[in-house]
């Protein structure tokens, strides 16, 4: 997520959009076949947890199973924000389950497990509890089919503290992007970064509108006044990185660096701004090539970007296809932002955080990569960025008062998470040298491809690669709440 959001997301909290109401036309049926159990039942079945276990956002995510694949079939009218859909999840039970939870804020019409009707209830606005007609066995692969409907924009922030549900729309255009939450506003999700899955996203919108999402465009078919857009993300993805944008978009498709790209620019922009936005999106392939030269192969099989016509207030690194806000002005979004969101494809999307307390692993890394890009392109060096930021924030500044390794759920988008996170890596490079720093970041990505990282694991790897005891260094930069002294040990000598 871009740093601009730090202020604007806070402003968005508590803003509840209430727009239009009515029924929606149904989406086509999807037959859910049963999958066979692969294990014996050992011990008694119990209900799965209603929490993914993250103390920052305990309502998000669930326990007892792991989703392997989502098939989302949504019919959506951008004009009235009426959504009706079906999500089919293929999952694996971790233990014997008498019931399991999903995250979904929309009204539920029907649930089936392995093709058979299942009982369900909504114990809270956010939770959906599913009770199969027979318990699921530990290790069993099973399928859940959930049908739902509603107006996502009417299901806003209340009750999700301190979550930030972000679902943006204006006349004729809707963008479902948000971090840490967004999935439950348009599909039945296990909304935790620890549960990655592959996706088929099938969006049906009125003919003449476009629906853009992650990954490859598998097909686009129109009939009876509707167009169905089928997108596929074949690489593992966290739920908050899934998105859709529905409205009128100018699409540009092609191939660069051996992989397909899709650029989309909202037709709500002026013709001049459309052209300018498209030109900037076309810089993506060059940025991706540069990132590959620094951190190894691009992790996913498609790329691109979307510039929306809404003033969202931030950009988000949606997997394979970041979404950029169009804020107007002479530079709707600069190269720095594009580099930042593409850097997240490695740092955040490929190597994802396991706990939200480690958000600096996403934002500090993306900020550091912005500085590295500047340095490699004849602008300010990483060292200059580090010195400037260090001098800008005095000893008494609140900038140093945030504990970076555990900022608290309401402060994950604060400036220090980005800038002090970037400074930590810049100072680490000064401390261990450029060669070890490059090896460290490459090994971090290579060893955790399609997986997760933690702050502690990064500290260990940094010490291992450099052969240095870095406990004091990381404690000063990440754990302390005071300005690090200008010492060589702190990378500030
Ligand atoms: Zn970011």
């Amino acid at each position: 997520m871009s740093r601009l959001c730090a202020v604007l997301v806070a402003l968005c909290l508590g803003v509840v959009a209430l727009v239009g109401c009515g029924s929606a036309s149904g989406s086509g049926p999807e037959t859910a076949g049963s999958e066979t159990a692969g294990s014996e039942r050992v011990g008694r079945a119990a209900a799965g947890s209603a929490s993914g276990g993250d103390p920052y956002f305990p309502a998000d995510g669930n326990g007892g199973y792991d989703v392997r694949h989502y098939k989302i079939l949504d019919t959506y009218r951008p004009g009235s924000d009426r959504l009706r859909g079906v999500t089919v999840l293929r999952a694996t039970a971790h233990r014997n389950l008498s019931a399991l939870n999903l995250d979904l804020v929309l009204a539920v019409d029907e649930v089936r497990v392995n093709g058979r009707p299942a009982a369900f209830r909504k114990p809270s606005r956010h939770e959906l509890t599913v009770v199969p007609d027979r318990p699921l066995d530990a290790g069993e692969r099973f399928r859940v089919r959930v049908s739902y409907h509603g107006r996502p924009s009417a299901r806003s922030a209340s009750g999700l503290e301190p979550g930030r549900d972000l679902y943006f729309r204006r006349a004729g255009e809707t963008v479902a992007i948000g971090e840490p939450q967004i999935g439950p506003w348009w599909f039945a999700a296990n909304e935790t970064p620890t549960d990655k899955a592959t996706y088929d996203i099938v969006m049906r919108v009125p003919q003449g509108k476009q629906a853009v999402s992650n990954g490859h465009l598998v097909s686009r078919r129109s009939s009876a006044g509707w167009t169905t857009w089928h997108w596929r993300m074949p690489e593992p993805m966290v739920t908050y990185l899934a998105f859709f944008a529905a409205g009128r978009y100018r699409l540009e498709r092609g191939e660069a660096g051996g992989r397909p790209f899709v650029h989309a620019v909202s037709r709500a922009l002026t013709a001049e701004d459309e052209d300018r936005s498209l030109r900037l999106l076309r810089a993506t392939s060059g940025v991706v090539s540069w990132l590959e030269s620094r951190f190894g192969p691009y992790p996913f099989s498609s790329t691109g970007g979307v510039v929306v016509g809404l003033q969202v207030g931030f950009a988000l690194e949606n997997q394979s296809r970041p979404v950029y806000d169009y804020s107007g002005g002479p530079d709707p979004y600069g190269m720095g932002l594009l580099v930042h969101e593409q850097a997240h494809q490695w740092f955040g999307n490929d190597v994802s955080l396991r706990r939200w307390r480690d958000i600096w692993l996403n934002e500090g890394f993306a900020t550091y990569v912005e500085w590295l890009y500047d340095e490699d392109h004849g602008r300010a060096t990483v060292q200059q960025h580090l010195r400037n930021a260090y001098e800008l924030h005095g000893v008494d500044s609140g900038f140093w008062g945030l504990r970076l390794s555990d900022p608290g759920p309401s402060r994950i988008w604060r400036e220090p998470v980005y800038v002090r996170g970037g400074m930590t890596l810049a100072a680490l490079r000064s401390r261990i040298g450029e060669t070890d720093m490059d090896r460290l970041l490459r090994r971090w990505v290579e060893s955790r491809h399609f997986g997760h990282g933690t702050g502690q694991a990064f500290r260990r790897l940094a010490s291992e690669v450099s052969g240095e005891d870095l406990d004091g260094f990381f404690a000063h930069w990440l754990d302390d709440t005071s300005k690090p002294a200008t010492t060589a040990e702190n990378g500030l000598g």
Side-chain angles (χ1 to χ4, degrees), residues 84-141:
R84 181 173 291 274
V86 172
T87 300
V88 181
L89 303 89
R90 283 188 277 140
T92 306
H94 287 323
R95 53 190 176 80
N96 300 332
L97 288 172
S98 58
L100 60 98
N101 269 39
L102 289 164
D103 304 307
L104 179 63
V105 303
L106 302 173
V108 176
D109 302 312
E110 185 195 47
V111 180
R112 288 176 173 266
V113 176
N114 292 334
R116 294 186 294 276
F120 65 90
R121 60 181 183 272
K122 292 277 291 168
S124 71
R125 192 186 65 104
H126 188 259
E127 295 294 320
L128 166 64
T129 302
V130 175
V131 185
D133 66 348
R134 66 156 185 85
L136 300 164
D137 295 336
E140 179 176 348
R141 292 182 161 214

Side-chain angles (χ1 to χ4, degrees), residues 1-3 179 315 317 340-341 344 362-363 366 413 418:
M1 187 180 273
S2 66
R3 187 147 64 90
E179 182 184 1
E317 63 267 24
H340 181 105
E341 306 308 340
H344 277 310
N362 287 13
E363 303 306 344
W413 306 125
Y418 292 77

Side-chain angles (χ1 to χ4, degrees), residues 341-360:
E341 306 308 340
Q342 288 299 335
H344 277 310
Q345 305 305 314
W346 282 258
F347 304 107
N349 299 7
D350 187 16
V351 183
S352 303
L353 48 76
R354 192 170 280 288
R355 288 286 178 259
W356 286 102
R357 63 181 287 169
D358 287 324
I359 184 68
W360 82 276

Side-chain angles (χ1 to χ4, degrees), residues 50-52 54 56-62 103 124 126-127 159-161 191:
S51 170
D54 194 314
Y56 277 24
F57 305 105
D60 291 346
N62 308 281
D103 304 307
S124 71
H126 188 259
E127 295 294 320
L160 248 192
E161 286 298 327
E191 183 87 317

